[in-house]
Amino acid sequence: MRKDCDVVVIGGGVIGCAVARELSRSALRICLIEKGEDVCSGTSKANSGIVHAGFDAKPGTMKAKMNLLGSRMMPKLAKELDFRFERNGSLVLCLSEDGLPALRELYERGAANGVEGLAILTGDEARRKEPNLSDGVVAALYAPTGGIVCPFELTIALAENACVNGVVFRRNETVTDVSRGADGYVVTTNRARIGATCVVNAAGVHADEIHRMVSKTPMHITPRKGDYCLLDKEVGGYVLCTVFQLPSALGKGVLVTPTAHGNLLIGPTATDVEDKENTPTTAAELAYLTQTAARSVRDLPLRSVITSFSGLRAHEDGGDFIIGEAEDAEGFFEAAGIESPGLSSAPAIGAYLAALIAKKLGAEEKADFIPTRRAIPRLAELPAEERRTLMEENPLYGSIVCRCEQISEGEIVEAIRRPVGAVSLDGIKRRVRAGMGRCQAGFCTPRLLEILSRELHRPMEEICKNVPGSELLTGTMEGRK
Ligand SMILES: Cc1cc2nc3c(=O)[nH]c(=O)nc-3n(C[C@H](O)[C@H](O)[C@H](O)COP(=O)(O)OP(=O)(O)OC[C@H]3O[C@@H](n4cnc5c(N)ncnc54)[C@H](O)[C@@H]3O)c2cc1C
């Protein structure tokens, strides 16, 4: 089979995009295949957005190593690629004297993992830091290196930068088979057959299915659903740190946190499910999470909830990340079982896998690699003078489309025209936040449809919320006359 690429990356979540971006430092032909209409349309779009300090994973595991390394890499990456990241610190609350040994164990695990600055605070010390903490807090583990990141901005920035550095993105294309030949692989999709020397399996909750196409070693992923409530920016400062409770066997438990964009987020739950595609929230889980979060902070401002959503963790039976070349399939690399702290670990996983693959292929570093990327100007956050200049240069920045988030037509058009640009309403929402505010796109949807239709040269009836089949309009203008 003809070699179309050196490396095919399967999956355009934060992991696939991080691997692709790191690989694009080398002189290699790389393509990334994503079955969604956009990158960041799987688990990477629905999580807590926390860059964990790294005290949770067992010392010596891939989770522990990649988390710590990823957290350390994040500030430089955020500067290079211009996405939001803040070290706001985190607190793990102990709500009864019985929990003190577990809190101490967490502290010791963190110290063994190399996490800097950990401290155990008394309940009063914790409340001085966070005045809205509940009176039931008896002690807390403080981690100053805990942070928050916008998961969409991170993933999209990685994708844009990878694309500028030569990675070909094939969205809306599903890998249906991977077969091994004499000197490489054939990746079959619903649209093409692609020959490649190496394959990277970064297919999230579907990584076990891709794995079984090539390898006989056991791998089984259980989707573990987490429901959330997102609260309005008016209560975004209710807590400053990310506030966890002591973790359980199923995960890190329910947190209360500010988001990178200044909302307040509560969640997630942890329920094992069978369906890997469908992620409805349930009344029972939302009730559980609000009751649980109410134990962390007093007077939880639930009247300010603007939406709920859920995401699926890719829990592999072994419990650790599986990262590296498959034992029985040379050239088949994997990042599987990437549940939390996968977002925090993405920069490290990308660098680790790309280095393995570049070495395997004997690839040289490119002299013309472009390490930086600039975000779309955020009109509402610019000083008045810069705002005026931007509007003079491009009058589209003077027309506000999303009133809740104050997003202009100029930002929306740029989101569409960028490399790996937006092709759907959700794509715009994740790039510039139009539709992300209090009205949840109630007012701006018709304008967004018009702009997408105009920029993509497609009739409005073809514009989707996200996947094909999620078109909002039906019939033609002529038909309505
Ligand atoms: C509730 C919850 C909370 C979390 N909170 C945090 C947190 O605060 N901090 C943290 O560090 N981590 C967190 N995580 C974990 C983090 O979100 C994940 O580790 C990370 O997003 C995984 O990225 P990924 O690229 O592996 O998967 P995904 O983002 O799911 O990407 C995989 C992609 O592969 C595509 N794909 C699948 N099959 C195919 C196919 N056959 N052909 C083509 N494409 C395919 C999918 O469409 C998908 O886009 C959380 C996860 C959940 C669910």
Side-chain angles (χ1 to χ4, degrees), residues 11 15 34-35 43-44 47-48 50 175 228 338-339 341-344:
I15 301 299
E34 167 54 53
K35 74 183 167 79
T43 300
S44 301
N47 52 63
S48 311
I50 309 302
V175 172
Y228 289 94
I338 311 296
E339 57 186 338
L343 192 68
S344 321

Side-chain angles (χ1 to χ4, degrees), residues 34-275:
E34 167 54 53
K35 74 183 167 79
E37 97 291 359
D38 201 356
V39 294
C40 202
S41 58
T43 300
S44 301
K45 77 170 192 293
N47 52 63
S48 311
I50 309 302
V51 175
H52 293 286
F55 49 75
D56 193 55
K58 284 200 192 104
T61 58
M62 279 307 245
K63 278 185 180 173
K65 286 182 208 154
M66 293 294 151
N67 185 165
L68 195 74
L69 206 54
S71 160
R72 286 180 179 164
M73 291 167 77
M74 205 61 87
K76 178 166 176 264
L77 190 65
K79 273 211 185 82
E80 278 181 351
L81 300 184
D82 201 8
F83 59 84
R84 263 165 248 246
F85 164 67
E86 186 193 333
R87 284 219 193 275
N88 63 325
S90 67
L91 286 167
V92 181
L93 307 182
C94 177
L95 294 160
S96 77
E97 300 283 338
D98 296 350
L100 287 172
L103 196 74
R104 184 85 217 160
E105 199 185 314
L106 216 50
Y107 170 88
E108 273 153 20
R109 209 187 291 171
N113 285 343
V115 181
E116 300 91 356
L118 291 174
I120 291 189
L121 310 182
T122 64
D124 286 339
E125 284 168 340
R127 272 183 292 275
R128 274 200 287 281
K129 209 173 244 317
E130 283 291 354
N132 283 324
L133 287 191
S134 87
D135 292 336
V137 176
V138 297
L141 175 64
Y142 175 57
T145 58
I148 45 179
V149 68
C150 170
F152 322 126
E153 284 184 11
L154 166 59
T155 309
I156 289 163
L158 289 164
E160 282 184 10
N161 188 240
C163 182
V164 164
N165 284 299
V167 176
V168 175
F169 281 76
R170 302 172 67 125
R171 292 178 286 176
N172 243 326
E173 186 162 343
T174 305
V175 172
T176 52
D177 187 45
V178 183
S179 60
R180 204 171 163 192
D183 63 343
Y185 292 86
V186 177
V187 177
T188 307
T189 74
N190 56 336
R191 289 205 227 139
R193 277 161 56 83
I194 304 160
T197 311
C198 290
V199 172
V200 179
N201 173 12
V205 285
H206 295 282
D208 54 349
E209 296 151 41
I210 301 286
H211 173 89
R212 283 195 285 273
M213 292 172 185
V214 172
S215 172
K216 296 233 170 332
T217 61
M219 182 189 289
H220 176 254
I221 289 174
T222 305
R224 185 166 285 169
K225 186 167 78 84
D227 285 12
Y228 289 94
C229 286
L230 183 73
L231 283 73
D232 192 87
K233 285 181 174 172
E234 67 183 5
V235 294
Y238 206 72
V239 290
L240 301 174
C241 294
T242 299
V243 177
F244 299 95
Q245 295 178 10
L246 274 171
S248 75
L250 283 179
K252 298 180 190 67
V254 171
L255 57 78
V256 181
T257 187
T259 69
H261 291 278
N263 292 81
L264 190 73
L265 183 69
I266 58 175
T269 51
T271 308
D272 289 351
V273 294
E274 284 182 5
D275 194 338

Side-chain angles (χ1 to χ4, degrees), residues 414-481:
E414 191 164 344
I416 300 168
R417 291 185 185 169
R418 283 248 161 163
V420 204
V423 292
S424 62
L425 289 170
D426 281 357
I428 289 186
K429 183 168 79 172
R430 292 188 198 120
R431 281 169 182 77
V432 291
R433 292 184 63 78
M436 197 69 107
R438 192 176 284 180
C439 90
Q440 289 288 297
F443 285 100
C444 59
T445 296
R447 283 288 290 128
L448 294 172
L449 287 173
E450 276 171 17
I451 297 167
L452 274 163
S453 165
R454 184 187 75 210
E455 291 295 318
L456 299 174
H457 308 291
R458 283 163 52 189
M460 276 211 273
E461 291 87 339
E462 283 182 16
I463 305 299
C464 292
K465 175 165 164 45
N466 40 57
V467 290
S470 63
E471 296 83 1
L472 277 88
L473 300 182
T474 175
T476 61
M477 294 302 284
E478 285 72 37
R480 260 179 261 142
K481 277 181 190 156

